[in-house]
Amino acid sequence: MRVVMKFGGTSVGNAEAIRQVAKIVAENHREHEVVLVVSAMNAPDLRTTDTLIAAAHAAAAGDGDATAEVAPRLLAMHMEVASALAKPSDCPALEEELRTMLAYLSNLSRSIAILGELTPRALDLFSGLGERLNARLIAAALRGAGLDACAVDATELIVTDERYGMASPLMDETREQVRACLQPMLLAGQVPVVTGFIGATRDGVPTTLGRGGSDYSCSILGAALDVQEVWFWKEVDGVLSANPKLVPAAHTLPRLSYSEMGEMAYYGANVLHPKTVQPLVQRGIPIHIRNTFNPAHPGTVISNEQSSGTAKAVTAIKDVTLITVGGPGMLGLTGVAARIFGAVARAGSNNLLISQASSEQSVCLAVPRAEAGAAVAELRAELANDFSAHDVEHIGVLECTIIAVVGSGMRGTPGIAGRIFGALGHAGINIIAIAQGSTENNISLVVAPADADAAVQAIHQSFRL
Ligand code: ASP
Ligand code: MG
């Protein structure tokens, strides 16, 4: 079969980890056609993407040497792995190539310092460099392990729109390019090592797909190549029923549906980038999540199949602000909800949860804390006349945590909400707001940040998840 597999930043964080990656790839390559997608290297003391982004911002603030200062450390980190794992004859050319790429960025840094301005387009050149360095390193390490591996920049494969920093793929063009480039390599028995996270516009200008976007890259390639399976190698045994730091009894979920995974990705279970399932759903390509450091564990399989069970997992999104717009005149005031959400959208803020009771005296919505200030300012401007008319009397803000209980088997099963609220009542936890979409695969509640951990624990225990 044909698989595309992605290794996260920590799975490729040092020579030992990359040796393990090479072993996994070599074993699977005996039976399968394998495409590899890699993130930038994440060592505990040197997180490549964060470091490059910080250097770009330092340049914009006037420190044009910031990149030149970190470049030798990045080069050393990559070459140290190369000297352990690559063929000695491969190392000089690799070093030269990485050096040239870092030098280009150091020069760009100096220009940015002179201009005093960092555009999103220039920032993408910085943030995406880690993947380019690492794909070359991993390809060399795989050659060291006897595989015919070759680094490929996704700028040659993934065609995106021009939303720098958060680009979306243009799937038809991407499919054409991916097949033209990777198909012949696979047929020749090669292992393409593709950079995650990056793409390029139709004009060839590099873009990035958003932080953590290598997962998304992997599923874009999987869909474009019609692979049989997409594998994500992580540092955990699959998707867990809750954060194990909070809930020691948390366990790996063997099966999930795409929609359950979509809900969980969104709700803070930091397993896959939220967009990852999108390209695969239509084609029904299953996702496997497995542990690089425990490859014998079967992990989690995510597919179209509905699996048994009601509530499966409970997650928490922290750092959220609940905004409440209320007033006596909102009852029957047609269009007020549209204006409220329009204002929040204009502020560029993302609604995480919406709730309005049928008395219509207030509408509340939750947004990420960092976006709350702008949303409230825009709401005040939009509703200025309603305030003068006393139709709207207050806009309240409250720091909170959203707790989401996920599982598509909750649909049509009576008593689930009762059990959740019962568990929280029993634990003495106050619920501030509630939302459940009519798909019924997610019940979300808002609690005070101080109650969040206890809420997750109480719900997990009540369902013996
Ligand atoms: N290196 C990128 C980031 O840190 C992409 C990824 O890791 O998926 O956001
Ligand atoms: Mg990552």
Side-chain angles (χ1 to χ4, degrees):
M1 88 180 162
R2 179 175 283 181
V3 289
V4 43
M5 52 175 81
K6 181 243 165 180
F7 290 89
T10 312
S11 293
V12 291
N14 58 41
E16 218 29 66
I18 295 176
R19 197 191 302 281
Q20 174 70 3
V21 168
K23 192 167 154 237
I24 290 173
V25 175
E27 272 165 16
N28 284 290
H29 186 254
R30 265 180 239 128
E31 286 176 53
H32 309 304
E33 288 180 341
V34 177
V35 176
L36 214 65
V37 175
V38 294
S39 291
M41 223 172 145
N42 262 341
D45 56 339
L46 191 52
R47 304 179 67 85
T48 306
T49 312
D50 294 344
T51 304
L52 291 165
I53 291 175
H57 287 297
D63 179 5
D65 290 327
T67 307
E69 276 154 23
V70 293
R73 288 174 61 209
L74 289 170
L75 183 68
M77 175 168 77
H78 287 80
M79 288 314 297
E80 192 183 312
V81 175
S83 64
L85 302 180
K87 290 185 206 151
S89 59
D90 253 5
C91 287
L94 177 68
E95 179 160 354
E96 185 55 36
E97 199 178 7
L98 303 193
R99 215 181 260 288
T100 307
M101 294 167 85
L102 287 162
Y104 170 78
L105 216 59
S106 302
N107 285 335
L108 186 62
S109 250
R110 291 189 193 98
S111 315
I112 287 171
I114 293 166
L115 292 170
E117 186 193 31
L118 177 66
T119 60
R121 174 173 163 160
L123 181 58
D124 275 355
L125 291 174
F126 283 83
S127 56
L129 189 82
E131 272 72 11
R132 295 182 196 243
L133 300 174
N134 205 22
R136 285 158 176 82
L137 168 63
I138 304 277
L142 293 181
R143 288 194 296 273
L147 290 157
D148 183 5
C150 185
V152 182
D153 280 335
T155 45
E156 309 292 320
L157 304 176
I158 298 181
V159 186
T160 73
D161 60 16
E162 286 163 20
R163 236 181 118 199
Y164 298 101
M166 191 54 90
S168 294
L170 306 173
M171 274 315 276
D172 291 341
E173 283 141 282
T174 297
R175 192 176 164 84
E176 234 170 77
Q177 299 223 40
V178 167
R179 297 181 86 87
C181 173
L182 299 187
Q183 198 100 285
M185 293 176 72
L186 291 171
L187 293 177
Q190 282 192 311
V191 179
V193 182
V194 181
T195 56
F197 187 43
I198 64 176
T201 65
R202 285 193 176 115
D203 299 331
V205 182
T207 52
T208 62
L209 305 176
R211 289 307 303 270
S214 298
D215 292 338
Y216 192 26
S217 309
C218 182
S219 54
I220 292 168
L221 295 184
L225 281 169
D226 290 319
V227 297
Q228 274 74 37
E229 291 177 2
V230 172
W231 296 0
F232 292 95
W233 292 95
K234 302 270 167 182
E235 295 78 46
V236 288
D237 287 335
V239 183
L240 299 179
S241 57
N243 179 349
K245 287 190 197 123
L246 281 185
V247 182
H251 62 269
T252 302
L253 299 166
R255 304 198 72 86
L256 282 174
S257 67
Y258 292 124
S259 57
E260 287 169 331
M261 188 63 225
E263 298 281 355
M264 295 196 40
Y266 204 79
Y267 283 96
N270 202 0
V271 187
L272 287 181
H273 185 272
K275 288 184 186 163
T276 309
V277 292
Q278 269 172 27
L280 303 173
V281 174
Q282 233 183 357
R283 292 171 195 273
I285 301 172
I287 297 171
H288 290 237
I289 299 187
R290 301 181 58 185
N291 190 344
T292 308
F293 305 106
N294 186 15
H297 194 287
T300 300
V301 181
I302 302 153
S303 68
N304 264 329
E305 266 172 59
Q306 293 302 331
S307 47
S308 56
T310 53
K312 285 203 181 143
V314 49
T315 64
I317 326 184
K318 305 209 162 166
D319 300 327
V320 170
T321 300
L322 190 70
I323 302 176
T324 304
V325 180
M330 284 174 64
L331 177 70
L333 189 64
T334 311
V336 72
R339 285 168 50 219
I340 290 172
F341 295 117
V344 173
R346 275 199 303 284
S349 177
N350 187 16
N351 271 319
L352 300 169
L353 170 149
I354 300 166
S355 173
Q356 184 204 275
S358 62
S359 68
E360 300 179 47
Q361 302 282 326
S362 70
V363 172
C364 73
L365 48 101
V367 300
R369 186 193 289 162
E371 299 172 5
V376 169
E378 196 66 47
L379 278 168
R380 287 202 185 287
E382 172 65 44
L383 299 171
N385 291 337
D386 309 80
F387 267 101
S388 327
H390 294 279
D391 285 339
V392 175
E393 282 190 335
H394 63 267
I395 298 181
V397 295
L398 187 70
E399 299 309 320
C400 65
T401 297
I402 298 177
I403 308 290
V405 186
V406 174
S408 36
M410 301 196 301
R411 182 178 315 139
T413 310
I416 303 286
R419 214 145 124 196
I420 295 172
F421 299 133
L424 295 183
H426 207 78
I429 294 168
N430 179 41
I431 301 170
I432 300 167
I434 303 168
Q436 180 200 278
S438 60
T439 58
E440 300 182 45
N441 54 16
N442 179 330
I443 297 178
S444 299
L445 3 130
V446 176
V447 300
D451 289 336
D453 293 357
V456 169
Q457 286 155 352
I459 294 169
H460 197 277
Q461 168 147 35
S462 79
F463 284 94
R464 290 192 193 77
L465 286 179

